[in-house]
Amino acid sequence: MNSFTIEPNEYLTQNIQAFYHSDYSGGGGQWRVQGTIENIICTLKNDITTYTDDVLQNASRQLATILLTDLPQILRVTRKNNLTACVIPRAKVNYSLNHSLFRKTVSDIINRLNGFDQWYKFYCKTYRHKTTHRARWGHGGNGNMPLSQHYKDTCRISNEVIGKDILLIDDLYTRTIDIDEDAIQALFDKGANSVIFYAVGKTLSKN
């Protein structure tokens, strides 16, 4: 596991302690190589190539292994007694189970680990937006691209966030996209006590 700092910008007002499992290469066809971070993330998105149940479950197991290694380390490094985890919501309002395996896998692991509060779905998506990783090729879907205060405009954020130390989890962090920064700020604005960020992959090409 690796650490970095998410720095303040027009979307975020303070430094955020952040962690990620592995670098993510946007090119070179790594997403086709089974077992790579690129393959795990792209498979669990399941929105470009439609994968079989066996392939999806294998990627879910690989993600579970990563989380079981990384998340306890985050508790030790941050010296938090416990953290409450939530996952960045995807672009659409509703997804089938086979399009929600990232969230489900995180939920299952969080509920198995000591030091983490009960799983909460803090974000309730009310409006869809374009999918950023597909929009560059004209396949982002309906809605607008995410902008400042995007999560305030497209989600209801539960009052359960108030006073909590949050571990905000995403599959992929890409600097300059600012979706994660906006989501973190939305949690603070709602009343979170603190926010720590974790991504499975961190994009190399934007750093």
Side-chain angles (χ1 to χ4, degrees):
M1 187 179 69
N2 305 279
S3 63
F4 69 109
T5 299
I6 299 178
E7 298 180 348
N9 61 13
E10 62 181 304
Y11 301 92
L12 180 66
T13 61
Q14 60 187 281
N15 284 323
I16 296 298
Q17 189 175 16
F19 302 90
Y20 69 102
H21 182 76
S22 180
D23 291 323
Y24 179 102
S25 175
Q30 282 294 100
W31 66 273
R32 297 185 179 91
V33 181
Q34 187 173 351
T36 63
I37 287 296
E38 294 83 358
N39 178 262
I40 293 168
I41 291 173
C42 290
T43 299
L44 291 175
K45 285 184 183 297
N46 197 29
D47 60 358
I48 297 176
T49 301
T50 301
Y51 294 100
T52 65
D53 287 345
D54 286 346
V55 171
L56 290 170
Q57 291 303 320
N58 185 53
S60 176
R61 287 190 293 270
Q62 292 171 321
L63 173 61
T65 299
I66 290 170
L67 297 174
L68 286 167
T69 299
D70 287 357
L71 298 190
Q73 290 186 55
I74 291 174
L75 283 178
R76 290 194 294 270
V77 171
T78 60
R79 298 182 179 180
K80 294 287 187 181
N81 291 325
N82 67 335
L83 291 168
T84 301
C86 62
V87 171
I88 293 279
R90 295 189 66 180
K92 297 178 183 178
V93 176
N94 296 307
Y95 281 92
S96 68
L97 178 60
N98 280 350
H99 291 88
S100 305
L101 277 176
F102 181 85
R103 176 186 288 272
K104 183 181 185 303
T105 304
V106 173
S107 176
D108 290 346
I109 296 304
I110 287 295
N111 287 329
R112 289 171 53 186
L113 290 173
N114 294 324
F116 291 90
D117 281 347
Q118 177 183 343
W119 170 261
Y120 286 104
K121 291 184 179 179
F122 287 136
Y123 296 99
C124 178
K125 203 68 180 282
T126 55
Y127 298 98
R128 62 186 175 183
H129 63 84
K130 289 186 183 298
T131 305
T132 53
H133 71 283
R134 301 191 68 192
R136 72 187 67 179
W137 296 289
H139 302 293
N142 296 326
N144 298 319
M145 289 294 288
L147 299 170
S148 178
Q149 297 193 356
H150 160 73
Y151 283 99
K152 290 182 181 179
D153 294 339
T154 66
C155 297
R156 291 193 302 272
I157 302 176
S158 170
N159 288 330
E160 293 287 344
V161 74
I162 297 172
K164 295 286 177 63
D165 294 315
I166 306 296
L167 176 63
L168 182 62
I169 299 174
D170 202 357
D171 57 354
L172 181 63
Y173 176 79
T174 303
R175 190 173 62 86
T176 74
I177 295 295
D178 293 319
I179 287 179
D180 294 312
E181 285 83 349
D182 188 57
I184 292 166
Q185 189 60 50
L187 290 170
F188 277 122
D189 291 347
K190 188 67 176 183
N193 180 59
S194 67
V195 181
I196 294 166
F197 178 80
Y198 170 79
V200 178
K202 180 172 177 283
T203 303
L204 278 171
S205 58
K206 297 292 184 180
N207 291 284

